[in-house]
Amino acid sequence: SIIPTKNYRGANILQKRELDEVEEDRECFLCLIALKLAGRIAQKRYTSTNSSGASSDLQEASEMAREMILYYGLEDEYENLSLYDIKKKDFMYELMSNDEKVFIHEKTKKILEEARKKAEVVIEENKAELDILAKALMKKGMLTAKEVESLLENIKVNVLN
């Protein structure tokens, strides 16, 4: 669904997994964050508004960006330092100066912006498919996995012919 309703607020197509299970590099993180932001971007594109429906995706994307910096050391400024307390399962903000907190906030925003741009490119590259899905969603409100597969299969056939 791209339009939140009283009893239904969309669907997760990617199950959250523990990032420690697999080694991820910076590019992989950016793609995962872009995926989280894509729903919100598509919603705004097709409904001209944002809603609270994508708030959990936005929170997860922001958290992943902070993890890149403070937990995994995937940004140059913190590549040799982890500021994550495994016992508390939280970042060690109490050890940071206000300037560091501001820097991390700004760096997080830059990562999110970079991922947003990636998501927009993918959305634009798949505009035909998204237009068909959005039209069907606007008409029905929700689609089952089979309905989505059917719509996408029809697109593939039409593109090949």
Side-chain angles (χ1 to χ4, degrees):
S1 170
I2 59 169
I3 302 172
T5 63
K6 183 177 179 183
N7 296 319
Y8 186 78
R9 294 192 152 254
N12 285 334
I13 58 169
L14 177 71
Q15 294 295 320
K16 187 174 180 187
R17 61 189 171 87
E18 294 296 321
L19 290 173
D20 287 339
E21 292 175 10
V22 182
E23 274 192 41
E24 308 285 359
D25 62 9
R26 187 179 192 284
E27 188 61 27
C28 186
F29 268 95
L30 285 174
C31 290
L32 290 170
I33 294 169
L35 182 62
K36 292 291 181 188
L37 298 176
R40 186 177 184 91
I41 294 166
Q43 179 187 35
K44 184 152 187 168
R45 179 182 196 150
Y46 292 101
T47 66
S48 299
T49 188
N50 282 325
S51 74
S52 62
S55 63
S56 63
D57 288 340
L58 191 57
Q59 289 169 3
E60 288 177 21
S62 299
E63 184 75 8
M64 290 172 87
R66 281 188 292 277
E67 286 175 355
M68 285 177 64
I69 302 164
L70 298 172
Y71 186 69
Y72 297 106
L74 294 175
E75 293 298 307
D76 292 341
E77 296 83 359
Y78 289 91
E79 70 180 343
N80 295 313
L81 177 65
S82 176
L83 289 169
Y84 186 81
D85 187 329
I86 294 174
K87 291 177 186 173
K88 292 182 184 177
K89 295 188 177 186
D90 198 8
F91 301 113
M92 296 184 280
Y93 291 114
E94 68 275 3
L95 300 179
M96 298 177 211
S97 69
N98 283 337
D99 287 345
E100 285 178 306
K101 290 175 187 174
V102 168
F103 175 80
I104 289 163
H105 180 72
E106 292 302 316
K107 194 73 170 174
T108 300
K109 287 176 18 182
K110 286 181 183 176
I111 290 169
L112 291 169
E113 178 62 16
E114 188 177 348
R116 183 192 62 77
K117 288 177 181 177
K118 277 184 163 305
E120 286 182 343
V121 167
V122 172
I123 287 170
E124 189 58 37
E125 288 174 350
N126 294 281
K127 186 180 181 317
E129 293 89 340
L130 289 172
D131 287 348
I132 289 170
L133 288 173
K135 187 175 180 181
L137 283 165
M138 297 288 232
K139 184 177 179 181
K140 291 188 71 176
M142 284 188 273
L143 297 174
T144 66
K146 285 186 179 186
E147 290 170 322
V148 171
E149 289 171 8
S150 176
L151 285 168
L152 294 178
E153 188 60 39
N154 289 337
I155 293 169
K156 290 178 188 174
V157 170
N158 290 337
V159 170
L160 295 173
N161 289 333

